[in-house]
Amino acid sequence: MIRYVALRLAGMAGVLLVICAVTFTIFYVFPADPALQACGKSCTPERLAMLHHQMGLDRPLWRQFTGYLTGIFAGRSYGEGPLAVQCHFPCLGFSYQNNTPVWDLMMRRLPTTLSIAAGAAVLWLAGGVAVGVMSALRKDTLLDRTMMVGTLTSASLPIYFTAMTLTVLVVQVGGLLPYSSYVPVGQDPAGWAKNLVLPWVALALLYAAMYARMTRASMVETMAEPFIRTARAKGLPERTVVAKHGLRAGLTPVLTVFGMDLGALLGGAVITESVFGLPGLGRLTIDSIETSDQPVVMGVALLAAFFITFANLVVDLAYAVVDPQVRFS
Amino acid sequence: MSAPSLAEGRAATPPPLGRSPWRTAARRLRRDPAALIGLGIVLLFVLMALTAPVLTALNGHGPNEFHPEKIDKALAGAPKGALGGVDGDFWLGVEPGTGRDVFSRMVHGARISLLISVLATGVATAAGTALGLLAGFSGGRLDALISRVMDLVLSFPQLIFMIALVSVLPEGNRTLELVFVMGFFGWPYVGRIVRGQALVLRSREFVEAARAAGMTRARILFREVLPNLLAPILVYATLTVPINIGTEAALSFLGIGVRPPDSSWGQMMATAMTWYQVDPMFFVVPGVCLLLTVLAFTLLGDAFRDALDPRSATR
């Protein structure tokens, strides 16, 4: 077990390292000279050269890369002597736009993204699984067909379309909720929830539909297994058969996908945040791409990749705990 | 020596009589209402995309023709008239701010949306099939290498990287750039399926028979293995198109898809963002188009899967 986890962690580190290298290449080799932007309009060649030196852009690419890596684990300083700027662990550089450490910028945005993802995940998991199980237990009835047509449609809805429709209907016409904005949960929990209901519902509609279809397929298969017949033959009430035997086996694949979806969403719900104007990681990504703020783009990309690989690891470990057939190898 | 004839029985060419898997599938599809609805909608949109110039000639407004008389300057450019300016001349109203004909932009948008998503699916499927076959069929180190690369590409936060890549790519043909960027992030999904299937097929009797009969590796690959993979590849490709339609729309929505003055449904949604509270009609049109095409391709893909599955009962 420990050996397995260690191996997986090493693998994860390897993947992140490669992603880091690829990101670095994309963002530092392709775009225009960042020093030129930092220099401003009245830029003299001397000042440009100094900035180049201070930002470390005059060093060979691999030295810049190792510098970046060192910064993440140990912090680093830019420039030398009295001009040196200290960047503390975990150092992902400074934003070209406002000279804030990238890490601080991201941590300021993370609560919004976390709030969106967590609320939506609760809704879609509960809704999707409930609909899926109901559909599976009443397979081929009118209810099942109706729900499956409904989920298919719901899964085809583009998120911005749902978002705009919901806003027009609920906020503009209905006047039931305020236009979405972010209120920190510690400050006003009720306001926090009220402001995030629409993004949650918009995301949940999309994901719940996919989960309902997945749950249905998995449960239909599970309920036809011999061990379900055995459980019924033992005289267990149907409720127990479904809840204790069916769900446990039937939901394992759903939980796998859930872990990965949640991991991907933590990197920022780019479109949802854009439509609802919420200041999360996704919005930060878009804004920093628009302003060619490479250190920030790189930071967010790395953080997102970290969430994805980490979720993968957690899912695999959880799988091994739930399903005794899985061996650590 | 009758090496080829040993293989013929299992090859994809349907025998003149009897039921080949493809014929059974076609029979099943013809009786599946969901498949027919899906196919109908897809054909409708394809037809619309193909005949876009004719359709815009019919209503007389090009997709990039400005109609300042149709918008209200006093209301910051909101369309005059009900429902976003719908009338006998402008069938689906006009774009707020510019007065461009929504119907013309929609049909031209269909061209770009469908073209990009189908081509990107093509790229992903071709690359995924080739690399998946290579990995599954050769095994060993090459397999390990390709599998690692697939895992790696799948661990990328895809949308962020697509946005970033498209935005740093040099100015060029944006359509092609989108196709290749989307194809690049799509191929491992196909690759994994093909690799898994190829691993199974590699040790099946008919492949061993072909090998024993002295068939070359390339011939085995193309005559024996590939025909057996066509069904899952077709199903997967059909289900990838709607995902790509969504991705293209998302990229255009975020402002890094097609460039103005070209229209795509995502680009229309993006414009609609600033207007949706004043003029809901304008986001409903591209939104419904996106919903319908995605739904139709999903229906079709699901139907293909059911029809091509040999385990499902013959109807």
Side-chain angles (χ1 to χ4, degrees):
Chain A
M1 172 80 185
I2 292 171
R3 202 180 118 80
Y4 174 78
V5 175
L7 272 177
R8 284 298 308 263
L9 280 174
M12 187 175 146
V15 168
L16 285 177
L17 189 69
V18 176
I19 289 183
C20 197
V22 172
T23 325
F24 197 83
T25 321
I26 295 174
F27 295 128
Y28 279 76
V29 175
F30 277 112
D33 189 353
L36 204 58
Q37 284 183 326
C39 198
K41 273 189 184 136
S42 54
C43 187
T44 58
E46 296 78 46
R47 192 170 140 67
L48 187 66
M50 193 202 78
L51 273 171
H52 259 267
H53 186 64
Q54 193 169 3
M55 291 165 109
L57 295 171
D58 53 350
R59 295 188 297 168
L61 192 66
W62 69 273
R63 291 279 302 162
Q64 290 183 41
F65 182 59
T66 47
Y68 186 81
L69 280 184
T70 321
I72 296 178
F73 294 105
R76 67 193 284 204
S77 56
Y78 287 89
E80 297 122 12
L83 283 172
V85 183
Q86 192 59 38
C87 174
H88 297 286
F89 160 85
C91 171
L92 293 165
F94 292 92
S95 158
Y96 290 159
Q97 290 298 315
N98 48 22
N99 284 320
T100 318
V102 172
W103 179 260
D104 297 354
L105 264 182
M106 294 199 306
M107 287 309 111
R108 238 178 274 159
R109 301 295 189 103
L110 190 61
T112 312
T113 298
L114 271 181
S115 307
I116 299 173
V122 170
L123 274 185
W124 94 57
L125 193 62
V129 168
V131 170
V133 170
M134 255 196 290
S135 235
L137 296 181
R138 289 171 182 69
K139 190 171 170 274
D140 292 330
T141 60
L142 185 66
L143 180 77
D144 171 34
R145 295 233 171 90
T146 319
M147 288 204 286
M148 283 306 111
V149 171
T151 52
L152 196 63
T153 317
S154 178
S156 309
L157 283 168
I159 184 90
Y160 30 85
F161 182 56
T162 327
M164 290 185 209
T165 314
L166 280 175
T167 309
V168 166
L169 291 182
V170 178
V171 181
Q172 204 179 339
V173 180
L176 302 171
L177 287 169
Y179 286 104
S180 293
S181 63
Y182 184 68
V183 180
V185 62
Q187 198 178 313
D188 173 12
W192 170 78
K194 222 173 167 182
N195 272 288
L196 287 173
V197 168
L198 286 186
W200 286 343
V201 172
L203 272 175
L205 272 178
L206 179 69
Y207 282 96
M210 296 192 280
Y211 280 61
R213 298 180 69 77
M214 207 159 40
T215 308
R216 180 184 179 276
S218 169
M219 279 301 280
V220 164
E221 211 168 287
T222 307
M223 293 307 282
E225 295 273 347
F227 69 84
I228 294 291
R229 205 185 318 143
T230 312
R232 284 197 180 120
K234 279 195 296 190
L236 289 179
E238 187 65 20
R239 180 181 288 269
T240 319
V241 174
V242 173
K244 286 230 163 125
H245 296 76
L247 280 182
R248 179 160 181 173
L251 287 191
T252 328
V254 178
L255 285 181
T256 313
V257 181
F258 177 70
M260 301 218 239
D261 280 344
L262 194 60
L265 205 54
L266 285 178
V270 179
I271 295 175
T272 315
E273 288 170 16
S274 295
V275 187
F276 287 108
L278 297 167
L281 285 169
R283 191 63 242 174
L284 181 66
T285 315
I286 297 293
D287 290 343
S288 44
I289 285 173
E290 272 168 10
T291 51
S292 316
D293 199 345
Q294 289 129 23
V296 183
V297 180
M298 244 186 105
V300 189
L302 267 183
L303 187 67
F306 170 79
F307 282 132
I308 292 177
T309 43
F310 186 69
N312 255 321
L313 177 66
V314 172
V315 160
D316 284 353
L317 291 181
Y319 217 86
V321 174
V322 176
D323 189 344
Q325 287 172 327
V326 177
R327 293 269 174 278
F328 296 112
S329 57
Chain B
M1 187 60 209
S2 56
S5 68
L6 262 176
E8 284 309 309
R10 265 307 210 155
T13 39
L17 281 173
R19 294 214 190 129
S20 80
W22 293 98
R23 285 202 179 184
T24 319
R27 270 168 54 94
R28 284 179 187 160
L29 279 178
R30 273 199 296 274
R31 292 181 195 176
D32 182 353
L36 295 178
I37 293 173
L39 191 66
I41 300 176
V42 168
L43 286 180
L44 193 74
F45 276 103
V46 169
L47 196 72
M48 193 169 96
L50 289 177
T51 58
V54 183
L55 287 172
T56 43
L58 269 182
N59 83 350
H61 312 292
N64 294 314
E65 231 174 85
F66 293 81
H67 291 273
E69 76 281 3
K70 287 288 293 173
I71 52 173
D72 198 341
K73 284 267 153 40
L75 287 171
K80 286 179 189 163
L83 287 173
V86 174
D87 57 29
D89 202 18
F90 293 83
W91 302 331
L92 292 173
V94 294
E95 185 181 61
T98 60
R100 291 186 286 193
D101 186 294
V102 171
F103 176 79
S104 302
R105 291 190 72 72
M106 180 194 82
V107 291
H108 274 92
R111 295 191 122 179
I112 304 231
S113 295
L114 288 177
L115 182 75
I116 291 180
S117 45
V118 169
L119 283 183
T121 306
V123 169
T125 310
T129 306
L131 288 164
L133 268 180
L134 196 63
F137 216 66
S138 54
R141 277 200 192 152
L142 194 59
D143 180 24
L145 178 72
I146 295 177
S147 300
R148 284 292 84 72
V149 174
M150 291 198 280
D151 290 346
L152 189 70
V153 176
L154 292 177
S155 337
F156 273 71
Q158 302 208 340
L159 195 58
I160 295 181
F161 270 84
M162 283 191 207
I163 301 167
L165 261 179
V166 176
S167 67
V168 297
L169 279 177
E171 297 281 309
N173 187 333
R174 185 52 72 86
T175 309
L176 269 184
E177 284 174 6
L178 285 172
V179 165
F180 281 103
V181 169
M182 281 159 65
F184 174 75
F185 284 105
W187 73 266
Y189 295 97
V190 188
R192 280 212 298 204
I193 294 170
V194 171
R195 174 183 169 269
Q197 295 283 321
L199 273 178
V200 175
L201 287 174
R202 188 165 73 151
S203 48
R204 287 278 291 275
E205 297 84 352
F206 65 91
V207 174
E208 276 176 14
R211 206 175 281 142
M215 255 193 188
T216 61
R217 279 174 69 90
R219 206 172 147 80
I220 294 176
L221 214 56
F222 285 105
R223 292 294 296 269
E224 306 294 324
V225 178
L226 200 55
N228 282 287
L229 287 173
L230 285 183
I233 293 173
L234 175 73
V235 170
Y236 196 79
T238 318
L239 290 170
T240 306
V241 174
I243 297 175
N244 283 340
I245 291 177
T247 309
E248 184 278 324
L251 289 175
S252 294
F253 180 77
L254 294 168
I256 38 172
V258 295
R259 285 206 198 84
D262 283 356
S263 66
S264 86
W265 295 335
Q267 177 272 332
M268 294 176 78
M269 285 309 269
T271 318
M273 248 312 273
T274 32
W275 292 97
Y276 75 100
Q277 289 161 27
V278 192
D279 180 13
M281 179 70 184
F282 187 52
F283 82 82
V284 169
V285 173
V288 168
C289 285
L290 280 167
L291 170 64
L292 281 180
T293 32
V294 170
L295 185 63
F297 272 106
T298 314
L299 281 175
L300 203 57
D302 280 355
F304 279 159
R305 182 170 50 206
D306 292 345
L308 288 165
D309 185 356
R311 282 176 302 176
S312 63
T314 314
R315 273 175 278 168

